[in-house]
Amino acid sequence: MTASSDEFTDFLRFGGAAPPDPFAALKEKPTWARIGAAMDRQQEYAQAIACFEQSLSLEDAPEVRHMMGRALFKLGDVDASVAFHESAAKETGNLAAWLAVATLIPGAPTATPETILAARQAFAQVLANSPLANRM
């Protein structure tokens, strides 16, 4: 049995689980993270980053680091974005965070061919060990 394109997309986005309530992860997070997510949805990325920084100063949460990486990328700071995504990916093993690292790192000014290869190999290893690997 092969996985459909929609199943694969959901797996990458949600780490193999069914798509959650988009606000579920934030309901337990400090108010600053929720405000940052709202600012991000409004495309107010500088304000979102300020909120995520405040949230991280109160509680270091990998989900917030992942959101911070997304906002930094949207403002063009690819090096910082990769660092935040990589930090979240290493702590949680989240496939979406690993995919972000593997996808974004070639655009990072400080990336070398070796760091790009290492990031993509790490993503491939995480993907190979995921439940999706057995469904393809």
Side-chain angles (χ1 to χ4, degrees), residues 16-64:
D21 169 7
F23 302 105
L26 298 176
K27 288 180 181 172
E28 300 301 320
K29 296 296 167 200
T31 302
W32 285 111
R34 291 192 307 264
I35 295 170
M39 292 287 103
D40 186 79
R41 284 190 305 274
Q42 296 297 316
Q43 299 180 355
E44 297 290 345
Y45 304 119
Q47 291 86 341
I49 289 168
C51 293
F52 295 144
E53 286 173 342
Q54 185 65 31
S55 178
L56 290 169
S57 74
L58 299 172
E59 176 190 358
D60 185 25
E63 299 89 357
V64 178

Side-chain angles (χ1 to χ4, degrees), residues 111-118:
T112 64
E114 293 80 18
T115 58
I116 294 168
L117 178 62

Side-chain angles (χ1 to χ4, degrees), residues 84-100:
F84 274 96
H85 282 297
E86 189 169 34
S87 168
K90 286 179 179 177
E91 184 174 334
T92 65
N94 181 284
L95 194 58
W98 280 112
L99 177 62

